[in-house]
């Protein structure tokens, strides 16, 4: 117990220390929100990866889908690495960095507003982000708190409040740079931790061959297949495909993910970051789902609801509870790292969006930079308090699965934004009507399905599949509607012009660094 407490206290001290150290970067809005757009490839890649993978993946998704699909759940991790990381960086990274720099956009709603010349679209996007990031944030609290309860015997409420306070301190103090620096440190912990845990769990079940052999004898009530949990595609390929699409394609339209491309400092850094983030995803996401694939070996030990349904969020904590105390302490720091990095990214995205896109120019007509910074810090606190409150309410209600909350959030956000963002980067023929249609589909289908699920039978049984469908529809609807409606006049730069913008930006950065160096020398 002493070792666990020491590791957690050390982690918290480092996180807060980084926040204090990064205070000097938060004197401007651009510095607070994007770190001055000077973040290197390693920090950007780790910030992307740690924002991507949190307790939602490690506890919620790995537990639920590993239990349902066995070792085939590893395909979700492979999809996260290839589609959710590598292709995202290759396809979106360079264009996003250059386009947002040219438009001087600091948030995704600001990009929509300037790219499509519409204040209404900007306000609508900001409202969608604020509303639908809340359930995702609540799911992050949930996963972490279950592990803390297992390791320390602390009440769920205490864990949620403690995590909220620590995250609030270092993000309010250090802004985006504090987030990415902590993400880098936390990412290293995640890489080491997930590797150690996989080895320990497999050895605890007699080694890899013996563990797979035991798993092969377990049957599935939903499949007549022999050894369904060790098969290549598992007992339910269709629903597994929905998980892969939601968790991989979703990153293309999530504001807290694509914002990492706004802040990276140069074109070459994007190419380097693509490789780093992909390797990170293979280890962390692939490892998490692979670990969850052995969940069926513990089906006699996990928690069950009153109706006999497995409580999937208890699968991974049950597996870990059999490990030595040293490894449990490492896992706690691992999941704390993943969760706080995701949480900090979510609250920073929400508060900056609300300030820059809703309050500035609408509620407060003349808003100075100092007022914007103060407002963002206040909203950070508000957002953390609200999401923590919802996490506590969710825990004490009948909604018990992390995956439900994340599915609704990702489905609405990526379902609304994926098509308009992607086509807005690559095509000059997109119309405002097409963007509005995508917003309506993402939010409308998710909300209708969620409400119908609460009152009776949902339109689509799985919120995961509903979210995946929203994303695919968004990609298809935007070009189709744009064919029959008036496009927004906009010239999308060809690659050669993008390269010219890149060189101009690098000259600006070099000049800023020269002036900073001259100022320091004079001082």
């Amino acid at each position: 117990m002493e070792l666990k407490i020491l590791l957690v206290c050390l982690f918290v001290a480092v996180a807060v220390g980084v926040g204090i150290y990064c205070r000097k970067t938060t004197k401007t809005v651009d510095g607070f929100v994007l770190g001055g757009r000077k973040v290197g490839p390693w920090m950007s890649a780790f910030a992307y990866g740690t924002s991507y993978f949190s307790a939602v993946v490690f506890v919620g998704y790995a537990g639920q889908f590993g239990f349902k699909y066995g070792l085939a759940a590893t395909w979700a991790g492979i999809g996260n690495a290839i589609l959710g990381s590598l292709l995202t960086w290759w396809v979106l990274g360079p264009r996003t960095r250059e386009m947002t720099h040219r438009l001087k956009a600091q948030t995704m709603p600001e990009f929509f507003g300037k790219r499509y010349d519409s204040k209404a679209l900007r306000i609508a996007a900001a409202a969608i982000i604020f509303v639908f990031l809340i359930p995702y944030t609540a799911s992050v609290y949930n996963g972490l708190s279950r592990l803390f309860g297992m390791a320390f015997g602390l009440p769920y409420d205490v864990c949620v409040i403690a995590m909220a306070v620590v995250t609030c301190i270092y993000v309010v103090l250090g802004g985006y740079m504090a987030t990415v620096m902590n993400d880098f440190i936390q990412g290293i912990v995640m890489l080491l931790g997930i590797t150690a845990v996989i080895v320990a769990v497999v050895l605890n079940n007699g080694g890899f061959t013996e563990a797979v052999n035991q798993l092969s004898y377990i049957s599935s009530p939903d499949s007549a297949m022999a050894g369904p949990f060790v098969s290549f595609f598992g007992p339910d390929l269709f629903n597994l495909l929905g998980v892969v699409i939601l968790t991989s394609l979703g990153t293309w339209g999530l504001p807290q993910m694509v914002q990492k491309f706004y802040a990276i400092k140069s074109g070459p850094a994007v190419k380097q970051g693509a490789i780093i983030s992909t390797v990170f995803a293979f280890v962390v996401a692939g490892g998490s789902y692979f670990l969850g694939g052995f969940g069926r070996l513990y089906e006699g030990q996990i928690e069950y609801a009153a109706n006999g349904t497995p409580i999937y969020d208890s699968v991974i904590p049950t597996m870990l509870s059999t490990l030595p105390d040293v490894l449990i302490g490492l896992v706690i720091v691992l999941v704390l790292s993943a969760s706080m990095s995701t949480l900090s990214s979510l609250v920073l995205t929400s508060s900056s969006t609300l300030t820059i896109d809703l309050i500035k120019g609408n509620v407060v007509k003349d808003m100075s930079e100092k007022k914007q910074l103060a407002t963002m810090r206040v909203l950070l606190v508000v957002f953390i308090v609200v999401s923590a409150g919802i996490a506590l309410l969710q825990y004490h209600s009948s909604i018990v699965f992390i995956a439900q909350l994340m599915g609704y959030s990702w489905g609405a956000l990526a379902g609304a934004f994926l098509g308009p963002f992607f086509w807005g980067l690559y095509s000059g023929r997109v119309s405002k009507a097409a963007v509005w249609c995508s917003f309506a589909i993402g939010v409308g289908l998710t909300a209708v399905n969620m409400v119908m699920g609460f009152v009776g039978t949902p339109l689509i049984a799985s919120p995961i599949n509903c979210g995946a469908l929203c994303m695919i529809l968004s990609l298809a609807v935007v070009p189709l509607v744009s064919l029959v409606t008036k496009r927004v006049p906009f010239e999308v730069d060809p690659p050669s012009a993008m390269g010219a913008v890149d060189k101009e930006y690098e000259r600006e950065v070099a000049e800023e660094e020269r002036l900073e160096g001259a100022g320091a020398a004079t001082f």
Side-chain angles (χ1 to χ4, degrees), residues 228 262 299 436:
Y262 295 22
E299 62 182 336
W436 280 116

Side-chain angles (χ1 to χ4, degrees), residues 48-93:
Y48 183 91
T50 53
S51 297
Y52 195 169
F53 310 116
S54 66
V56 177
V57 171
F58 186 73
V59 178
Y61 273 30
Q64 176 166 350
F65 302 122
F67 194 87
K68 283 186 173 182
Y69 311 129
L71 295 181
T74 309
W75 282 109
I78 295 172
N80 292 172
I82 302 299
L83 179 58
S85 296
L86 183 64
L87 291 179
T88 309
W89 279 73
W90 279 357
V91 176
L92 295 187

Side-chain angles (χ1 to χ4, degrees), residues 41-392:
W42 281 90
M43 284 193 179
S44 293
F46 272 64
Y48 183 91
T50 53
S51 297
Y52 195 169
F53 310 116
S54 66
V56 177
V57 171
F58 186 73
V59 178
Y61 273 30
Q64 176 166 350
F65 302 122
F67 194 87
K68 283 186 173 182
Y69 311 129
L71 295 181
T74 309
W75 282 109
I78 295 172
N80 292 172
I82 302 299
L83 179 58
S85 296
L86 183 64
L87 291 179
T88 309
W89 279 73
W90 279 357
V91 176
L92 295 187
R95 283 274 177 172
T96 300
R97 194 188 72 82
E98 304 305 342
M99 191 80 82
T100 55
H101 177 71
R102 179 154 65 95
L103 293 174
K104 300 189 184 302
Q106 297 170 315
T107 66
M108 185 177 275
E110 190 172 16
F111 170 83
F112 288 140
K114 292 182 176 180
R115 168 63 182 82
Y116 298 112
D117 190 26
S118 172
K119 187 176 182 180
L121 281 174
R122 181 175 179 177
I123 293 172
I128 293 169
I129 288 172
F130 181 69
V131 171
F132 284 97
L133 277 186
I134 291 176
Y136 184 21
T137 309
S139 67
V140 174
Y141 286 114
N142 193 335
L144 178 70
S145 299
R146 283 188 175 274
L147 280 180
F148 261 71
M150 178 269 291
F152 297 105
L154 292 174
Y156 178 86
D157 302 41
V158 173
C159 298
V160 168
I161 294 170
M163 180 180 169
V165 170
V166 174
T167 306
C168 188
I169 290 172
Y170 83 76
V171 181
V172 167
L173 286 175
Y176 185 78
M177 279 306 298
T179 300
V180 295
M181 286 186 70
N182 272 316
D183 287 349
F184 183 72
I185 297 167
Q186 292 159 2
I188 293 172
V189 173
M190 290 169 67
L191 289 172
L192 296 174
I194 194 67
T195 304
V197 168
I198 291 171
V199 171
V201 169
V202 170
L203 291 177
N204 205 31
N205 285 281
F208 178 72
T209 303
E210 177 60 26
V212 172
N213 187 47
Q214 292 176 43
L215 199 60
S216 68
Y217 289 111
I218 302 175
S219 61
S220 170
D222 303 316
S223 174
M225 182 188 300
F229 299 113
V230 296
S231 65
F232 197 63
F233 290 121
D236 188 355
L237 178 59
F238 177 77
N239 283 309
L240 175 60
L241 183 62
V243 176
V244 175
I245 293 174
L246 179 89
T247 61
S248 302
L249 190 60
T251 60
W252 294 51
L254 292 175
Q256 74 273 17
M257 301 303 297
V258 298
Q259 188 183 36
K260 304 299 184 288
F261 303 134
Y262 295 22
I264 198 166
K265 68 179 180 180
S266 67
V270 175
K271 298 175 183 177
Q272 297 166 27
I275 303 302
I276 298 165
S277 69
T278 303
V279 173
F280 185 91
F282 264 120
V283 175
V284 175
S288 295
Y289 286 108
F290 176 74
L291 177 67
F294 293 100
R296 284 278 175 174
L297 297 178
Y298 298 81
E299 62 182 336
Q301 304 170 43
I302 65 172
E303 298 175 29
Y304 289 84
N307 61 1
T309 304
I311 298 178
Y312 298 117
D313 300 350
S314 70
V315 173
I316 296 297
T318 299
M319 296 172 71
L320 299 177
S321 65
T322 62
L323 300 181
D325 285 345
V326 173
L327 278 178
I328 291 178
L330 180 62
V331 170
I332 293 303
V333 175
L334 181 162
V335 181
L336 185 62
S337 299
S339 300
M340 290 184 65
S341 59
T342 302
L343 181 60
S344 62
S345 178
L346 294 174
V347 296
L348 187 59
T349 299
S350 184
S351 66
S352 59
T353 296
L354 231 63
T355 302
I356 295 170
D357 300 303
L358 278 181
I359 298 175
K360 180 186 174 184
N362 297 307
V363 179
V364 181
K365 297 298 181 183
D366 185 17
M367 200 173 192
S368 67
E369 196 153 43
K370 187 175 180 180
K371 286 183 180 179
Q372 290 179 57
L373 287 169
T375 304
M376 274 189 277
R377 286 187 163 101
V378 171
L379 288 174
L380 271 168
V381 178
V382 170
F383 187 74
I384 287 176
V385 169
V386 170
S387 57
I390 291 178
L392 294 174

